[in-house]
Amino acid sequence: MISAPTGAQRPIGHTSVVDSPLRRPVEAFLAEFTPVLVGLVADSGKVDASKLPGDVALEAFNLAAAFVDADGRHTDEELAAFVEVFASRFDTVAAAASPAALRAAGLLAGRRTFLDAPPPLFTVLIGADLHAGTDAAWRYYLAAVDIAHAVFALDATPSHGELTAIERFRSLLLRAMDDAGVRRPGGPRPAPVPATAGTAAATAAPTAAAVEPSEPALPLEELLAELDGLVGLAPVKAEVKLVTNLLRVEKLRTERELPVVEHSRHLVFTGNPGTGKTTVARLLAQIYRTLGVVEKGQLVESDRSGLVAGYVGQTATKVRDVFLSAVGGVLLIDEAYALVRGQGGDFGHEAIDTIVKLMEDHRDDVVLIAAGYPGEMAEFLDANPGLRSRFPKTIFFDDYSDDELLVIFDGMAAKNHYTPTVDARTAVLAYVSAQPRDRGFGNARVVRNLFEAAVSAQASRVVELAEVSDEALVTLEAADIPTP
């Protein structure tokens, strides 16, 4: 545990200094957990009294100090806010009455290590929750994340080190709760089955995910839990969380009427088919809605056939219609590179030129995601001088491993109320292992085809049985799995 700052601690209370963006979450943390700690001390039978932290203010100090130190920069804005909030509570901070003095004293140097393990109060709250069925650890998690975002919102742009630090800390706390068996609202959900051939993304006409603007936006933690529940995709999840944390910090600055550095929110997704690009895009659309980036959060999907017409003058109209259907949400253009490869005529380039213009006209109410193979997407971005600068981030979706494909098969089976035997799962693993991992490998689409073939084979086998039990109707055996 990080030691307390030297010097006497002052009574907890508000001060007369100008309110800092950091003050609100710190005061909320103190108001939330001071009575909780008092209650634990009064009833030490709930927890090991020897593990109780000395003071909630010290815990808030350590959290804020660790987040200030997350990237080692210790900017004037961060240190000034830290002094404003904690000078009334700790003499050592009061003695360093300016950012320069606080920096010279080195009071926050090395404090980031506080984020390397579950904090003391959080650990105690997990034990109390297990004893009493309360949700104090979950409330601590939310309050600590609020402090982190408040610290990072002090600078005009949070650093990459800060954004990754908060995600590591977030994962650390959630994992500790899950490992202890403590319930957390909103997650984790069962992993959604990745989109496969035959879904909306594969159709010619643009389609939109069903979204009712009148319905409330989903809680961010619920959406992040669903993201965490996806099979594999660890680098993709990390990138999405970086984007999410950046948006949360920018939202805080906007709410406080602080300047925000403008940047494009459009994305490029690259990777083979069936790697979950549509699923992640749909989650991103909902995350953007929850954070106020877009109003509705619908996902509209299209491709070359939905954007390019066969006659002069019609392409711009088709593109405009698709684009306008995505206003307030996200437009996903699958195989976007195909727009560069029209045969006879330049209608594909006309579509790209129209897209660039509409991206500018609707820069605040449409997020565009262009998807396709890595090499070809570079060709797409070079097709118009205004494209590459509008797509600052590319997220790569790697192929699933054999074990991950088996988990996806299990998910499809469970969703459709089938139970594969151990031998059937071994046969599935043998099948996916034998598939060549070349360009265009279908990933989850291969598994979808395999699952449908297995169900068909199982039906043919079952109808030949003299007596059919309920168990036989839902069991997939090794004989039902096609051989590679």
Side-chain angles (χ1 to χ4, degrees):
M1 173 180 173
I2 297 290
S3 61
T6 58
Q9 183 178 319
R10 299 181 178 186
I12 296 173
H14 294 281
T15 69
S16 59
V17 299
V18 176
D19 191 38
S20 160
L22 179 59
R23 181 174 301 283
R24 184 184 303 175
V26 169
E27 295 287 1
F29 187 91
L30 297 177
E32 179 89 15
F33 295 107
T34 297
V36 172
L37 182 58
V38 170
L40 291 175
V41 172
D43 185 8
S44 59
K46 292 183 179 180
V47 296
D48 184 350
S50 66
K51 295 182 179 179
L52 289 173
D55 196 283
V56 176
L58 175 59
E59 188 100 358
F61 173 96
N62 284 328
L63 282 170
F67 289 124
V68 169
D69 188 50
D71 60 356
R73 292 193 303 174
H74 300 186
T75 66
D76 285 351
E77 291 78 7
E78 291 172 337
L79 296 182
F82 193 87
V83 170
E84 288 179 6
V85 173
F86 291 102
S88 64
R89 300 181 170 90
F90 298 100
D91 285 341
T92 306
V93 181
S98 68
L102 190 60
R103 191 180 293 113
L107 185 60
L108 303 190
R111 294 279 172 176
R112 73 188 73 173
T113 58
F114 186 78
L115 306 177
D116 292 342
L121 179 56
F122 177 76
T123 302
V124 169
L125 294 177
I126 285 181
D129 287 347
L130 288 172
H131 178 83
T134 50
D135 63 350
W138 173 254
R139 289 184 282 118
Y140 180 108
Y141 160 78
L142 295 177
V145 169
D146 283 345
I147 291 176
H149 285 117
V151 169
F152 300 156
L154 293 168
D155 295 325
T157 303
S159 68
H160 185 270
E162 289 173 329
L163 296 177
T164 54
I166 190 173
E167 186 48 44
R168 286 196 303 271
F169 185 67
R170 171 186 173 272
S171 298
L172 176 74
L173 298 191
L174 293 179
R175 185 166 56 251
M177 293 178 66
D178 291 342
D179 289 347
V182 173
R183 182 187 65 85
R184 53 181 172 109
R189 285 180 171 189
V193 177
T196 57
T199 63
T203 63
T207 59
V211 175
E212 291 295 335
S214 60
E215 295 180 358
L218 293 174
L220 182 61
E221 290 299 331
E222 183 175 327
L223 295 169
L224 292 176
E226 186 169 341
L227 177 70
D228 287 335
L230 295 176
V231 177
L233 303 178
V236 174
K237 295 173 184 176
E239 288 291 343
V240 171
K241 292 170 187 175
L242 285 177
V243 170
T244 301
N245 285 321
L246 177 60
L247 291 174
R248 291 184 71 174
V249 170
E250 291 176 345
K251 184 178 181 181
L252 282 175
R253 291 186 63 84
T254 300
E255 290 172 349
R256 289 162 175 76
E257 299 183 350
L258 296 171
V260 175
V261 177
E262 290 192 10
H263 61 89
S264 174
R265 308 195 191 285
H266 307 301
L267 299 167
V268 172
F269 285 179
T270 63
N272 277 331
T275 47
K277 295 188 288 294
T278 300
T279 301
V280 172
R282 186 171 291 113
L283 274 173
L284 260 176
Q286 290 299 300
I287 289 172
Y288 284 155
R289 182 192 180 195
T290 296
L291 294 177
V293 175
V294 296
E295 182 181 358
K296 300 177 183 177
Q298 80 276 23
L299 176 69
V300 175
E301 305 169 56
S302 193
D303 56 16
R304 176 185 169 88
S305 62
L307 299 171
V308 178
Y311 300 95
V312 175
Q314 292 182 342
T315 291
T317 299
K318 290 188 71 173
V319 172
R320 189 174 295 108
D321 289 344
V322 172
F323 211 95
L324 291 179
S325 70
V327 168
V330 173
L331 172 59
L332 172 65
I333 301 179
D334 196 21
E335 299 182 347
Y337 56 83
L339 295 174
V340 188
R341 301 180 172 182
Q343 296 181 354
D346 59 349
F347 299 134
H349 285 274
E350 180 185 353
I352 292 174
D353 294 342
T354 306
I355 288 170
V356 171
K357 181 180 185 305
L358 290 170
M359 289 172 73
E360 183 62 30
D361 293 345
H362 295 276
R363 59 188 304 174
D364 295 326
D365 51 20
V366 175
V367 174
L368 180 61
I369 299 177
Y373 296 117
E376 285 81 348
M377 288 308 297
E379 185 180 351
F380 166 75
L381 294 177
D382 290 333
N384 182 291
L387 267 182
R388 188 172 290 278
S389 63
R390 286 176 168 82
F391 290 94
K393 181 180 286 291
T394 296
I395 299 179
F396 175 66
F397 289 67
D398 201 356
D399 288 339
Y400 290 110
S401 69
D402 293 342
D403 288 338
E404 289 167 347
L405 292 172
L406 176 59
V407 173
I408 292 173
F409 183 93
D410 289 338
M412 291 179 178
K415 183 178 180 180
N416 291 277
H417 306 290
Y418 285 94
T419 303
T421 64
V422 173
D423 289 342
R425 296 181 75 249
T426 300
V428 169
L429 192 58
Y431 183 94
V432 297
S433 299
Q435 303 306 305
R437 297 303 183 93
D438 52 11
R439 167 188 163 86
F441 173 64
N443 287 282
R445 299 183 182 183
V446 170
V447 176
R448 166 63 67 184
N449 293 337
L450 176 64
F451 174 72
E452 291 176 350
V455 169
S456 178
Q458 189 258 15
S460 298
R461 176 176 57 79
V462 168
V463 296
E464 298 297 328
L465 298 177
E467 295 184 6
V468 181
S469 64
D470 291 345
E471 182 180 2
L473 283 173
V474 299
T475 300
L476 295 177
E477 298 182 355
D480 303 322
I481 309 300
T483 56

